[in-house]
Amino acid sequence: MKQLFLTLLLSVFTLVAAAADEGYETLALPLPTSAGPGEIEVVELFWYGCPHCYNLEPTLSDWVEARPDNVVFKRIPAVFRKGWVPAARAYYTAQILGVEERVHPALFKAIHEHNARLNTVEDIEKIFVAEGVSAEDFRTEYESFGVDRSVRVAIQATRDYQITGVPSIIVNGKYRTTASLAGSNEAMLEVVSQLIAKEALLG
């Protein structure tokens, strides 16, 4: 029995190592997704203060634009610590207000090109107002129950996906890849495409 257990354990380690060599890791337990029948979910976990996330954004945006029709893509702002909460609130505020397409890149640029900070509601409000959102609309949503709930979900997702850094991409609740695992941002997205194809074959 002991020998059988050791053999099974070695097999698991071998599979994990093989996956890592291919640029991804398999989650110990698959997580539920928001994908419908025949769809595959791809999730990016990011943080606005992360330079690697900022550098990935143009390449990722191109990939999202050209993604297969069966792929459901969504972003989740990672929350590793309390100081990351304002940035997460900013993302979900933009999403609820329907201005994610222009405010999301503006938040990245404000930090990495203009040395802005997202530490306070006042810091974030300035960016939204510059993008044409009224201060009143911004405050209403930023402080809303909907944003509170979304941030709690993001905190839990950061834990459940067992990520250790950002950006990280999760494919169909089963696989995790990063630029470090894959070798580069471009290689990471190639790995994502390969995993999508793999999941499509599995049905």
Side-chain angles (χ1 to χ4, degrees):
M1 180 63 72
K2 183 178 180 181
Q3 183 61 40
L4 177 60
F5 173 77
L6 291 174
T7 300
L8 289 173
L9 190 61
L10 180 60
S11 298
V12 170
F13 283 142
T14 301
L15 287 172
V16 171
D21 286 343
E22 294 175 7
Y24 68 91
E25 298 170 328
T26 301
L27 298 181
L29 292 172
L31 296 170
T33 74
S34 60
E39 293 180 332
I40 296 167
E41 182 188 75
V42 174
V43 176
E44 182 213 13
L45 290 106
F46 73 96
W47 176 49
Y48 284 118
C50 165
H52 302 295
C53 299
Y54 169 67
N55 291 331
L56 171 65
E57 188 59 28
T59 306
L60 179 61
S61 294
D62 289 343
W63 183 89
V64 171
E65 190 70 25
R67 73 188 186 278
D69 292 338
N70 66 330
V71 172
V72 177
F73 176 78
K74 69 177 184 179
R75 292 181 172 92
I76 295 178
V79 184
F80 280 111
R81 57 184 70 93
K82 187 177 180 180
W84 289 28
V85 169
R89 296 187 73 87
Y91 175 75
Y92 286 119
T93 299
Q95 192 177 69
I96 290 174
L97 287 171
V99 294
E100 178 185 351
E101 188 172 331
R102 67 176 189 269
V103 172
H104 180 66
L107 289 164
F108 269 124
K109 288 179 181 178
I111 294 173
H112 299 283
E113 296 181 18
H114 305 296
N115 297 316
R117 296 184 179 275
L118 300 185
N119 295 335
T120 68
V121 63
E122 290 80 12
D123 294 335
I124 298 167
E125 182 182 284
K126 291 176 185 176
I127 298 169
F128 275 76
V129 170
E131 292 301 319
V133 178
S134 74
E136 182 180 1
D137 287 346
F138 165 76
R139 290 284 181 138
T140 297
E141 294 303 340
Y142 187 85
E143 297 166 1
S144 69
F145 173 76
V147 167
D148 284 341
R149 180 177 56 194
S150 294
V151 170
R152 287 197 297 271
V153 171
I155 292 170
Q156 190 61 50
T158 303
R159 295 171 182 158
D160 289 346
Y161 287 129
Q162 301 172 30
I163 63 171
T164 57
V166 288
S168 292
I169 297 181
I170 311 297
V171 178
N172 229 23
K174 297 179 182 179
Y175 312 106
R176 177 179 54 241
T177 184
T178 65
S180 296
L181 284 170
S184 69
N185 285 339
E186 292 75 14
M188 174 172 60
L189 292 176
E190 289 176 7
V191 169
V192 169
S193 295
Q194 292 165 6
L195 290 170
I196 289 170
K198 176 179 179 179
E199 284 297 287
L201 285 175
L202 292 175

Short mmCIF file of all heavy atoms in Angstrom, two decimals, residues 117-173:
data_model
loop_
_atom_site.label_atom_id
_atom_site.label_comp_id
_atom_site.label_asym_id
_atom_site.label_seq_id
_atom_site.Cartn_x
_atom_site.Cartn_y
_atom_site.Cartn_z
N ARG A 117 -1.08 58.41 -8.21
CA ARG A 117 -1.33 57.38 -7.20
C ARG A 117 -2.82 57.08 -7.14
O ARG A 117 -3.64 57.94 -7.45
CB ARG A 117 -0.82 57.84 -5.82
CG ARG A 117 0.68 58.02 -5.77
CD ARG A 117 1.13 58.38 -4.37
NE ARG A 117 2.57 58.55 -4.30
CZ ARG A 117 3.44 57.56 -4.12
NH1 ARG A 117 2.99 56.32 -3.98
NH2 ARG A 117 4.73 57.79 -4.07
N LEU A 118 -3.14 55.86 -6.73
CA LEU A 118 -4.55 55.48 -6.56
C LEU A 118 -4.80 55.10 -5.10
O LEU A 118 -5.45 54.10 -4.81
CB LEU A 118 -4.89 54.29 -7.47
CG LEU A 118 -4.73 54.47 -8.97
CD1 LEU A 118 -5.23 53.23 -9.71
CD2 LEU A 118 -5.46 55.70 -9.46
N ASN A 119 -4.28 55.91 -4.20
CA ASN A 119 -4.37 55.58 -2.79
C ASN A 119 -5.66 56.07 -2.14
O ASN A 119 -6.09 55.54 -1.11
CB ASN A 119 -3.18 56.17 -2.02
CG ASN A 119 -1.86 55.55 -2.46
OD1 ASN A 119 -1.84 54.42 -2.94
ND2 ASN A 119 -0.78 56.28 -2.30
N THR A 120 -6.26 57.12 -2.70
CA THR A 120 -7.45 57.69 -2.09
C THR A 120 -8.55 57.85 -3.14
O THR A 120 -8.29 57.83 -4.34
CB THR A 120 -7.16 59.08 -1.49
OG1 THR A 120 -6.88 60.00 -2.56
CG2 THR A 120 -5.97 59.04 -0.54
N VAL A 121 -9.77 58.05 -2.65
CA VAL A 121 -10.90 58.25 -3.56
C VAL A 121 -10.70 59.53 -4.37
O VAL A 121 -11.10 59.61 -5.54
CB VAL A 121 -12.23 58.27 -2.77
CG1 VAL A 121 -12.26 59.42 -1.79
CG2 VAL A 121 -13.42 58.35 -3.72
N GLU A 122 -10.05 60.52 -3.76
CA GLU A 122 -9.79 61.78 -4.48
C GLU A 122 -8.83 61.57 -5.64
O GLU A 122 -9.01 62.14 -6.72
CB GLU A 122 -9.24 62.84 -3.52
CG GLU A 122 -10.22 63.36 -2.50
CD GLU A 122 -10.40 62.43 -1.31
OE1 GLU A 122 -9.58 61.49 -1.16
OE2 GLU A 122 -11.37 62.64 -0.54
N ASP A 123 -7.80 60.74 -5.42
CA ASP A 123 -6.84 60.43 -6.49
C ASP A 123 -7.56 59.80 -7.69
O ASP A 123 -7.32 60.17 -8.85
CB ASP A 123 -5.78 59.43 -5.99
CG ASP A 123 -4.88 59.99 -4.92
OD1 ASP A 123 -4.71 61.23 -4.87
OD2 ASP A 123 -4.34 59.19 -4.13
N ILE A 124 -8.42 58.85 -7.39
CA ILE A 124 -9.10 58.09 -8.44
C ILE A 124 -10.16 58.95 -9.13
O ILE A 124 -10.32 58.89 -10.36
CB ILE A 124 -9.73 56.82 -7.83
CG1 ILE A 124 -8.63 55.93 -7.25
CG2 ILE A 124 -10.55 56.07 -8.88
CD1 ILE A 124 -9.13 54.82 -6.37
N GLU A 125 -10.85 59.77 -8.35
CA GLU A 125 -11.89 60.63 -8.92
C GLU A 125 -11.33 61.53 -10.02
O GLU A 125 -11.98 61.75 -11.06
CB GLU A 125 -12.51 61.48 -7.81
CG GLU A 125 -13.63 62.38 -8.29
CD GLU A 125 -14.17 63.23 -7.16
OE1 GLU A 125 -14.94 62.68 -6.33
OE2 GLU A 125 -13.83 64.43 -7.11
N LYS A 126 -10.14 62.07 -9.82
CA LYS A 126 -9.53 62.97 -10.81
C LYS A 126 -9.40 62.29 -12.17
O LYS A 126 -9.62 62.91 -13.21
CB LYS A 126 -8.15 63.42 -10.32
CG LYS A 126 -8.17 64.35 -9.13
CD LYS A 126 -6.75 64.65 -8.66
CE LYS A 126 -6.75 65.49 -7.39
NZ LYS A 126 -5.37 65.71 -6.88
N ILE A 127 -9.04 61.01 -12.15
CA ILE A 127 -8.86 60.28 -13.41
C ILE A 127 -10.21 60.05 -14.09
O ILE A 127 -10.34 60.22 -15.31
CB ILE A 127 -8.13 58.95 -13.14
CG1 ILE A 127 -6.74 59.24 -12.55
CG2 ILE A 127 -8.00 58.14 -14.43
CD1 ILE A 127 -6.04 58.03 -12.00
N PHE A 128 -11.21 59.69 -13.32
CA PHE A 128 -12.54 59.49 -13.89
C PHE A 128 -13.09 60.79 -14.47
O PHE A 128 -13.65 60.80 -15.58
CB PHE A 128 -13.49 58.93 -12.83
CG PHE A 128 -13.44 57.44 -12.67
CD1 PHE A 128 -12.39 56.83 -12.01
CD2 PHE A 128 -14.45 56.64 -13.20
CE1 PHE A 128 -12.34 55.46 -11.86
CE2 PHE A 128 -14.41 55.26 -13.05
CZ PHE A 128 -13.35 54.67 -12.38
N VAL A 129 -12.94 61.87 -13.75
CA VAL A 129 -13.43 63.16 -14.23
C VAL A 129 -12.71 63.56 -15.52
O VAL A 129 -13.33 64.08 -16.46
CB VAL A 129 -13.26 64.25 -13.14
CG1 VAL A 129 -13.54 65.64 -13.71
CG2 VAL A 129 -14.20 63.96 -11.97
N ALA A 130 -11.41 63.30 -15.58
CA ALA A 130 -10.65 63.61 -16.79
C ALA A 130 -11.13 62.81 -17.99
O ALA A 130 -10.96 63.22 -19.15
CB ALA A 130 -9.16 63.34 -16.56
N GLU A 131 -11.77 61.66 -17.71
CA GLU A 131 -12.29 60.81 -18.78
C GLU A 131 -13.77 61.06 -19.04
O GLU A 131 -14.44 60.27 -19.70
CB GLU A 131 -12.05 59.34 -18.45
CG GLU A 131 -10.59 58.93 -18.46
CD GLU A 131 -9.92 59.17 -19.80
OE1 GLU A 131 -10.56 58.88 -20.84
OE2 GLU A 131 -8.76 59.65 -19.82
N GLY A 132 -14.30 62.16 -18.49
CA GLY A 132 -15.66 62.56 -18.81
C GLY A 132 -16.74 62.07 -17.87
O GLY A 132 -17.94 62.22 -18.15
N VAL A 133 -16.36 61.47 -16.75
CA VAL A 133 -17.34 60.98 -15.77
C VAL A 133 -17.55 62.08 -14.73
O VAL A 133 -16.59 62.66 -14.22
CB VAL A 133 -16.85 59.70 -15.08
CG1 VAL A 133 -17.84 59.24 -14.03
CG2 VAL A 133 -16.61 58.60 -16.11
N SER A 134 -18.79 62.36 -14.40
CA SER A 134 -19.05 63.40 -13.40
C SER A 134 -18.61 62.91 -12.03
O SER A 134 -18.68 61.70 -11.73
CB SER A 134 -20.53 63.77 -13.36
OG SER A 134 -21.29 62.74 -12.73
N ALA A 135 -18.17 63.84 -11.19
CA ALA A 135 -17.73 63.48 -9.84
C ALA A 135 -18.87 62.82 -9.06
O ALA A 135 -18.64 61.88 -8.29
CB ALA A 135 -17.24 64.73 -9.11
N GLU A 136 -20.09 63.30 -9.27
CA GLU A 136 -21.24 62.74 -8.56
C GLU A 136 -21.49 61.29 -8.96
O GLU A 136 -21.70 60.42 -8.10
CB GLU A 136 -22.49 63.57 -8.85
CG GLU A 136 -23.73 63.09 -8.11
CD GLU A 136 -24.95 63.93 -8.42
OE1 GLU A 136 -24.84 64.88 -9.22
OE2 GLU A 136 -26.02 63.61 -7.86
N ASP A 137 -21.47 61.01 -10.27
CA ASP A 137 -21.68 59.64 -10.73
C ASP A 137 -20.58 58.72 -10.22
O ASP A 137 -20.83 57.58 -9.81
CB ASP A 137 -21.72 59.59 -12.26
CG ASP A 137 -23.01 60.16 -12.82
OD1 ASP A 137 -23.97 60.35 -12.05
OD2 ASP A 137 -23.05 60.42 -14.04
N PHE A 138 -19.34 59.23 -10.26
CA PHE A 138 -18.22 58.43 -9.78
C PHE A 138 -18.40 58.07 -8.31
O PHE A 138 -18.29 56.91 -7.93
CB PHE A 138 -16.90 59.19 -9.97
CG PHE A 138 -15.77 58.59 -9.18
CD1 PHE A 138 -15.16 57.41 -9.61
CD2 PHE A 138 -15.35 59.16 -7.98
CE1 PHE A 138 -14.13 56.83 -8.86
CE2 PHE A 138 -14.33 58.59 -7.24
CZ PHE A 138 -13.71 57.42 -7.69
N ARG A 139 -18.69 59.05 -7.47
CA ARG A 139 -18.81 58.81 -6.02
C ARG A 139 -19.96 57.85 -5.71
O ARG A 139 -19.84 56.99 -4.84
CB ARG A 139 -19.03 60.14 -5.30
CG ARG A 139 -17.82 61.06 -5.28
CD ARG A 139 -16.78 60.63 -4.29
NE ARG A 139 -15.65 61.53 -4.27
CZ ARG A 139 -15.04 61.95 -3.16
NH1 ARG A 139 -15.45 61.52 -1.99
NH2 ARG A 139 -14.00 62.75 -3.25
N THR A 140 -21.05 58.02 -6.44
CA THR A 140 -22.22 57.16 -6.19
C THR A 140 -21.87 55.70 -6.38
O THR A 140 -22.21 54.84 -5.56
CB THR A 140 -23.38 57.55 -7.12
OG1 THR A 140 -23.78 58.89 -6.82
CG2 THR A 140 -24.57 56.62 -6.92
N GLU A 141 -21.18 55.39 -7.48
CA GLU A 141 -20.85 54.00 -7.77
C GLU A 141 -19.66 53.50 -6.95
O GLU A 141 -19.65 52.37 -6.48
CB GLU A 141 -20.59 53.81 -9.26
CG GLU A 141 -21.80 54.04 -10.14
CD GLU A 141 -22.99 53.16 -9.77
OE1 GLU A 141 -22.81 52.12 -9.12
OE2 GLU A 141 -24.12 53.53 -10.14
N TYR A 142 -18.66 54.36 -6.77
CA TYR A 142 -17.46 53.95 -6.03
C TYR A 142 -17.82 53.50 -4.62
O TYR A 142 -17.21 52.57 -4.08
CB TYR A 142 -16.47 55.11 -5.98
CG TYR A 142 -15.12 54.76 -5.38
CD1 TYR A 142 -14.12 54.20 -6.17
CD2 TYR A 142 -14.86 54.99 -4.03
CE1 TYR A 142 -12.88 53.88 -5.62
CE2 TYR A 142 -13.62 54.67 -3.48
CZ TYR A 142 -12.64 54.12 -4.28
OH TYR A 142 -11.42 53.79 -3.73
N GLU A 143 -18.81 54.14 -4.04
CA GLU A 143 -19.20 53.83 -2.67
C GLU A 143 -20.42 52.90 -2.60
O GLU A 143 -21.01 52.73 -1.53
CB GLU A 143 -19.49 55.14 -1.93
CG GLU A 143 -18.26 56.03 -1.82
CD GLU A 143 -18.57 57.46 -1.41
OE1 GLU A 143 -19.77 57.75 -1.18
OE2 GLU A 143 -17.63 58.27 -1.32
N SER A 144 -20.77 52.29 -3.72
CA SER A 144 -22.00 51.49 -3.79
C SER A 144 -21.83 50.08 -3.25
O SER A 144 -20.71 49.56 -3.15
CB SER A 144 -22.49 51.41 -5.24
OG SER A 144 -21.60 50.62 -6.02
N PHE A 145 -22.97 49.47 -2.94
CA PHE A 145 -22.97 48.07 -2.49
C PHE A 145 -22.46 47.15 -3.60
O PHE A 145 -21.76 46.17 -3.33
CB PHE A 145 -24.39 47.65 -2.09
CG PHE A 145 -24.51 46.18 -1.78
CD1 PHE A 145 -24.03 45.67 -0.59
CD2 PHE A 145 -25.08 45.32 -2.70
CE1 PHE A 145 -24.12 44.31 -0.30
CE2 PHE A 145 -25.18 43.95 -2.43
CZ PHE A 145 -24.70 43.45 -1.22
N GLY A 146 -22.79 47.47 -4.86
CA GLY A 146 -22.35 46.64 -5.98
C GLY A 146 -20.84 46.56 -6.07
O GLY A 146 -20.27 45.48 -6.30
N VAL A 147 -20.16 47.69 -5.88
CA VAL A 147 -18.69 47.70 -5.91
C VAL A 147 -18.14 46.96 -4.69
O VAL A 147 -17.18 46.20 -4.80
CB VAL A 147 -18.15 49.14 -6.00
CG1 VAL A 147 -16.65 49.18 -5.71
CG2 VAL A 147 -18.43 49.72 -7.38
N ASP A 148 -18.75 47.17 -3.53
CA ASP A 148 -18.33 46.44 -2.32
C ASP A 148 -18.36 44.93 -2.57
O ASP A 148 -17.41 44.21 -2.25
CB ASP A 148 -19.27 46.75 -1.14
CG ASP A 148 -19.01 48.11 -0.53
OD1 ASP A 148 -17.91 48.66 -0.76
OD2 ASP A 148 -19.90 48.62 0.16
N ARG A 149 -19.46 44.47 -3.14
CA ARG A 149 -19.64 43.04 -3.37
C ARG A 149 -18.60 42.52 -4.37
O ARG A 149 -18.00 41.45 -4.17
CB ARG A 149 -21.05 42.78 -3.90
CG ARG A 149 -21.35 41.31 -4.19
CD ARG A 149 -22.78 41.15 -4.64
NE ARG A 149 -23.07 42.01 -5.80
CZ ARG A 149 -24.28 42.28 -6.24
NH1 ARG A 149 -25.34 41.82 -5.60
NH2 ARG A 149 -24.44 43.04 -7.30
N SER A 150 -18.36 43.27 -5.43
CA SER A 150 -17.38 42.85 -6.45
C SER A 150 -15.98 42.77 -5.87
O SER A 150 -15.21 41.85 -6.20
CB SER A 150 -17.41 43.82 -7.64
OG SER A 150 -18.63 43.74 -8.33
N VAL A 151 -15.63 43.72 -5.00
CA VAL A 151 -14.30 43.70 -4.39
C VAL A 151 -14.16 42.49 -3.48
O VAL A 151 -13.10 41.84 -3.45
CB VAL A 151 -14.03 45.01 -3.62
CG1 VAL A 151 -12.76 44.90 -2.78
CG2 VAL A 151 -13.91 46.17 -4.60
N ARG A 152 -15.20 42.14 -2.76
CA ARG A 152 -15.14 40.93 -1.91
C ARG A 152 -14.93 39.69 -2.77
O ARG A 152 -14.16 38.78 -2.39
CB ARG A 152 -16.42 40.80 -1.09
CG ARG A 152 -16.53 41.81 0.06
CD ARG A 152 -17.59 41.38 1.07
NE ARG A 152 -18.92 41.34 0.49
CZ ARG A 152 -19.76 42.37 0.44
NH1 ARG A 152 -19.40 43.54 0.96
NH2 ARG A 152 -20.97 42.25 -0.09
N VAL A 153 -15.59 39.64 -3.91
CA VAL A 153 -15.40 38.50 -4.83
C VAL A 153 -13.96 38.47 -5.34
O VAL A 153 -13.35 37.41 -5.45
CB VAL A 153 -16.40 38.60 -6.00
CG1 VAL A 153 -16.06 37.57 -7.08
CG2 VAL A 153 -17.82 38.38 -5.51
N ALA A 154 -13.40 39.64 -5.65
CA ALA A 154 -12.03 39.72 -6.14
C ALA A 154 -11.02 39.25 -5.08
O ALA A 154 -10.05 38.56 -5.39
CB ALA A 154 -11.71 41.15 -6.57
N ILE A 155 -11.27 39.62 -3.84
CA ILE A 155 -10.40 39.18 -2.74
C ILE A 155 -10.42 37.66 -2.63
O ILE A 155 -9.37 37.01 -2.49
CB ILE A 155 -10.83 39.82 -1.41
CG1 ILE A 155 -10.56 41.33 -1.43
CG2 ILE A 155 -10.12 39.17 -0.22
CD1 ILE A 155 -11.17 42.09 -0.27
N GLN A 156 -11.61 37.07 -2.72
CA GLN A 156 -11.74 35.62 -2.63
C GLN A 156 -11.10 34.94 -3.83
O GLN A 156 -10.44 33.90 -3.69
CB GLN A 156 -13.21 35.22 -2.52
CG GLN A 156 -13.42 33.75 -2.18
CD GLN A 156 -12.81 33.36 -0.85
OE1 GLN A 156 -13.05 34.03 0.17
NE2 GLN A 156 -12.03 32.30 -0.84
N ALA A 157 -11.27 35.52 -5.02
CA ALA A 157 -10.69 34.94 -6.23
C ALA A 157 -9.17 34.95 -6.16
O ALA A 157 -8.50 33.99 -6.59
CB ALA A 157 -11.17 35.70 -7.46
N THR A 158 -8.60 36.02 -5.62
CA THR A 158 -7.14 36.09 -5.47
C THR A 158 -6.64 34.93 -4.63
O THR A 158 -5.58 34.35 -4.92
CB THR A 158 -6.74 37.43 -4.82
OG1 THR A 158 -7.25 38.52 -5.61
CG2 THR A 158 -5.23 37.57 -4.71
N ARG A 159 -7.40 34.56 -3.62
CA ARG A 159 -7.03 33.42 -2.78
C ARG A 159 -7.28 32.10 -3.49
O ARG A 159 -6.43 31.20 -3.50
CB ARG A 159 -7.82 33.46 -1.47
CG ARG A 159 -7.52 34.65 -0.58
CD ARG A 159 -8.52 34.72 0.56
NE ARG A 159 -8.30 35.88 1.42
CZ ARG A 159 -9.21 36.41 2.20
NH1 ARG A 159 -10.44 35.89 2.24
NH2 ARG A 159 -8.93 37.46 2.95
N ASP A 160 -8.48 31.97 -4.07
CA ASP A 160 -8.89 30.69 -4.65
C ASP A 160 -8.00 30.28 -5.82
O ASP A 160 -7.72 29.09 -6.00
CB ASP A 160 -10.34 30.76 -5.13
CG ASP A 160 -11.34 30.81 -3.99
OD1 ASP A 160 -10.93 30.53 -2.84
OD2 ASP A 160 -12.51 31.15 -4.23
N TYR A 161 -7.56 31.25 -6.62
CA TYR A 161 -6.70 30.92 -7.77
C TYR A 161 -5.26 30.67 -7.35
O TYR A 161 -4.43 30.31 -8.17
CB TYR A 161 -6.77 32.03 -8.81
CG TYR A 161 -8.07 32.09 -9.58
CD1 TYR A 161 -8.77 33.28 -9.71
CD2 TYR A 161 -8.59 30.95 -10.20
CE1 TYR A 161 -9.97 33.34 -10.43
CE2 TYR A 161 -9.77 31.00 -10.91
CZ TYR A 161 -10.46 32.20 -11.02
OH TYR A 161 -11.63 32.25 -11.73
N GLN A 162 -4.95 30.91 -6.08
CA GLN A 162 -3.63 30.61 -5.51
C GLN A 162 -2.51 31.27 -6.29
O GLN A 162 -1.44 30.69 -6.50
CB GLN A 162 -3.42 29.09 -5.45
CG GLN A 162 -4.45 28.36 -4.62
CD GLN A 162 -4.34 26.86 -4.72
OE1 GLN A 162 -3.26 26.31 -4.93
NE2 GLN A 162 -5.46 26.17 -4.58
N ILE A 163 -2.75 32.51 -6.71
CA ILE A 163 -1.70 33.21 -7.45
C ILE A 163 -0.69 33.78 -6.46
O ILE A 163 -1.01 34.08 -5.31
CB ILE A 163 -2.28 34.33 -8.33
CG1 ILE A 163 -2.95 35.41 -7.49
CG2 ILE A 163 -3.24 33.75 -9.36
CD1 ILE A 163 -3.35 36.65 -8.29
N THR A 164 0.54 33.94 -6.92
CA THR A 164 1.59 34.52 -6.08
C THR A 164 2.06 35.86 -6.62
O THR A 164 2.90 36.52 -6.00
CB THR A 164 2.80 33.56 -5.99
OG1 THR A 164 3.27 33.27 -7.32
CG2 THR A 164 2.41 32.26 -5.31
N GLY A 165 1.54 36.27 -7.76
CA GLY A 165 1.90 37.54 -8.35
C GLY A 165 1.00 37.85 -9.52
O GLY A 165 0.16 37.03 -9.91
N VAL A 166 1.17 39.05 -10.07
CA VAL A 166 0.40 39.48 -11.23
C VAL A 166 1.35 40.01 -12.31
O VAL A 166 2.46 40.44 -11.99
CB VAL A 166 -0.63 40.58 -10.83
CG1 VAL A 166 -1.75 40.00 -10.03
CG2 VAL A 166 0.04 41.72 -10.07
N PRO A 167 0.93 39.91 -13.57
CA PRO A 167 -0.34 39.34 -14.04
C PRO A 167 -0.31 37.82 -14.03
O PRO A 167 0.71 37.20 -14.28
CB PRO A 167 -0.44 39.87 -15.49
CG PRO A 167 1.00 40.02 -15.92
CD PRO A 167 1.74 40.47 -14.69
N SER A 168 -1.47 37.24 -13.74
CA SER A 168 -1.67 35.80 -13.85
C SER A 168 -2.92 35.58 -14.68
O SER A 168 -3.87 36.36 -14.60
CB SER A 168 -1.87 35.17 -12.47
OG SER A 168 -0.68 35.22 -11.70
N ILE A 169 -2.91 34.52 -15.48
CA ILE A 169 -4.07 34.21 -16.31
C ILE A 169 -4.54 32.80 -15.99
O ILE A 169 -3.74 31.86 -15.93
CB ILE A 169 -3.76 34.35 -17.81
CG1 ILE A 169 -3.40 35.81 -18.14
CG2 ILE A 169 -4.94 33.89 -18.66
CD1 ILE A 169 -3.10 36.08 -19.59
N ILE A 170 -5.85 32.67 -15.77
CA ILE A 170 -6.47 31.39 -15.45
C ILE A 170 -7.33 30.95 -16.63
O ILE A 170 -8.15 31.74 -17.13
CB ILE A 170 -7.37 31.50 -14.20
CG1 ILE A 170 -6.61 32.19 -13.05
CG2 ILE A 170 -7.88 30.13 -13.79
CD1 ILE A 170 -5.40 31.46 -12.56
N VAL A 171 -7.16 29.73 -17.08
CA VAL A 171 -7.92 29.21 -18.20
C VAL A 171 -8.92 28.16 -17.70
O VAL A 171 -8.53 27.14 -17.13
CB VAL A 171 -7.01 28.59 -19.28
CG1 VAL A 171 -7.85 28.01 -20.43
CG2 VAL A 171 -6.05 29.65 -19.82
N ASN A 172 -10.19 28.47 -17.89
CA ASN A 172 -11.31 27.56 -17.58
C ASN A 172 -11.31 27.04 -16.15
O ASN A 172 -11.76 25.92 -15.90
CB ASN A 172 -11.33 26.40 -18.57
CG ASN A 172 -12.72 26.20 -19.15
OD1 ASN A 172 -13.55 27.10 -19.17
ND2 ASN A 172 -12.99 24.99 -19.63
N GLY A 173 -10.80 27.84 -15.23
CA GLY A 173 -10.80 27.43 -13.83
C GLY A 173 -9.87 26.28 -13.51
O GLY A 173 -9.88 25.76 -12.40
#
